Amino acid sequence: MARKFFVGGNFKMNGTLSSIKEIVENLNKSELDSNVEVVISPPSLYLLPTREHLRKEIEVAAQNVFDKPNGAFTGEISVSQLKDSNITWTILGHSERRTILGESDEVVSTKTKYATDNGLGVIWCCGESLEEREAGNTISVITKQLDSLKSKNPDWSKIVIAYEPIWAIGTGKVATTQQAQDVHKAIRDWLKGVSDKVSDETRILYGGSVNESNCGELSKQPDIDGFLVGGASLKPAFVKIINCHQ
Ligand SMILES: O=C(CO)COP(=O)(O)O
């Protein structure tokens, strides 16, 4: 089965009402490859206006979600609140939340299980630090993150995996196509341990300094099914990344 190419834009903690309005207007008027699934993820404050004004074929994602239905959890947002606002995806386990906010594998896996069981799509992120790569531990680090997720038995049909080497995020230092493909292949092989169907159908995105110049080559790799784009998703060239896959 051909996997539909997927391009996510992670705005992180960037943007204002007016700059996000500009991004939305640019996406609304651009010609976009209809074979590509596009999801953008503004900061939580801007989720609703983004959803309201963005063309309907593009979905909107939160950057985080909590694993309880409601209650005394100051600062958190629930899955049902997102769905109530027509926000159909969330990012979980981004390395910035793992390292800066201290989210463990256990926390990320639990939230992913809760979100997928309750019908939200999850862009689930994994990746190694430069130290871990240089020590030859890339695959073992990612396997540990994946094993933790598998132990919760999430709904894999709702998960898109984003491989984001931490050393490539926001640094301009993109992984080589071979480095990316090798890890994506290892993830694909690991997914076979869940089931052949999950391995065949799960999209594996690459993230880390993706731009309009490097996306073409990366997109040709057999196990790269799309991108999770940070900085370049805030620029008009994001459209070129969406359309880069031939
Ligand atoms: O972290 C990322 C997307 O989630 C990647 O960010 P950059 O594209 O800015 O390197």
Coordinates of all heavy atoms in Angstrom, one line a residue, residues 10 12 94 96 164 168-171 207-210 228-232, ligand 1:
N10 N 5.6 22.6 12.4 CA 5.6 22.8 13.8 C 6.1 24.3 14.0 O 7.3 24.5 13.9 CB 6.5 21.8 14.5 CG 6.7 22.0 16.0 OD1 6.0 22.9 16.5 ND2 7.6 21.3 16.6
K12 N 6.2 25.8 16.8 CA 6.8 25.9 18.1 C 6.3 27.2 18.8 O 5.1 27.5 18.6 CB 8.4 25.9 18.0 CG 8.9 24.7 17.2 CD 10.4 24.5 17.3 CE 10.7 23.3 16.4 NZ 12.1 22.9 16.5
H94 N 8.0 15.7 21.4 CA 9.1 16.5 20.7 C 10.3 16.6 21.7 O 10.2 16.7 22.9 CB 8.6 17.9 20.4 CG 9.5 18.6 19.4 ND1 10.6 19.2 19.9 CD2 9.4 18.7 18.1 CE1 11.2 19.7 18.8 NE2 10.5 19.4 17.7
E96 N 12.2 18.9 22.3 CA 12.2 20.1 23.2 C 11.4 19.9 24.5 O 11.7 20.4 25.5 CB 11.7 21.3 22.4 CG 12.8 21.8 21.4 CD 12.3 22.3 20.1 OE1 11.1 22.7 20.0 OE2 13.1 22.4 19.1
E164 N 13.5 12.8 14.5 CA 14.1 14.1 14.5 C 15.4 14.1 15.3 O 15.4 14.2 16.5 CB 13.2 15.2 15.2 CG 11.8 15.3 14.5 CD 11.2 16.7 14.7 OE1 11.1 17.1 15.9 OE2 10.9 17.4 13.7
A168 N 20.1 18.0 14.6 CA 19.7 18.6 13.3 C 18.6 19.6 13.5 O 18.2 20.3 12.5 CB 19.3 17.5 12.3
I169 N 18.1 19.7 14.7 CA 16.9 20.6 14.9 C 17.4 22.1 15.1 O 18.1 22.4 16.0 CB 16.1 20.2 16.1 CG1 15.5 18.8 15.8 CG2 15.0 21.2 16.4 CD1 14.7 18.2 17.0
G170 N 17.0 22.9 14.2 CA 17.2 24.3 14.3 C 18.7 24.7 14.1 O 19.1 25.8 14.4
T171 N 19.5 23.8 13.7 CA 21.0 24.0 13.6 C 21.4 24.2 12.1 O 22.6 24.6 11.9 CB 21.7 22.8 14.1 OG1 21.3 21.6 13.3 CG2 21.4 22.5 15.5
G207 N 12.5 15.0 10.5 CA 12.5 16.4 10.9 C 13.9 16.9 11.3 O 14.6 16.1 11.9
G208 N 14.3 18.1 11.1 CA 15.6 18.6 11.4 C 16.2 19.4 10.3 O 16.7 18.8 9.4
S209 N 16.0 20.7 10.3 CA 16.6 21.6 9.3 C 16.1 21.3 7.9 O 16.9 21.5 6.9 CB 18.1 21.7 9.4 OG 18.5 22.2 10.6
V210 N 14.9 20.8 7.7 CA 14.3 20.6 6.4 C 14.0 22.0 5.8 O 13.5 22.9 6.4 CB 13.0 19.8 6.4 CG1 12.4 19.7 5.1 CG2 13.3 18.4 7.0
L228 N 8.6 16.7 9.2 CA 8.1 17.6 10.2 C 9.0 18.8 10.2 O 10.2 18.7 10.5 CB 8.1 16.9 11.6 CG 7.4 17.8 12.7 CD1 6.0 18.2 12.4 CD2 7.4 17.0 14.1
V229 N 8.4 20.0 9.8 CA 9.2 21.1 9.5 C 9.1 22.2 10.6 O 8.0 22.5 11.0 CB 8.8 21.8 8.1 CG1 9.7 22.9 7.8 CG2 8.8 20.7 7.0
G230 N 10.2 22.7 11.1 CA 10.1 23.8 12.1 C 10.2 25.1 11.5 O 9.3 25.6 10.9
G231 N 11.4 25.7 11.5 CA 11.6 27.1 11.1 C 11.1 27.4 9.7 O 10.4 28.4 9.5
A232 N 11.3 26.5 8.7 CA 10.8 26.7 7.4 C 9.3 26.7 7.2 O 8.8 27.2 6.2 CB 11.5 25.8 6.4
Ligands
LIG1 O1 11.9 20.4 15.5 C1 11.6 20.4 14.3 C2 10.2 20.1 13.9 O2 9.5 19.6 15.0 C3 12.6 20.8 13.3 O3 12.9 22.1 13.4 P1 13.7 22.9 12.3 O4 13.1 22.5 11.0 O5 13.6 24.3 12.6 O6 15.1 22.3 12.4

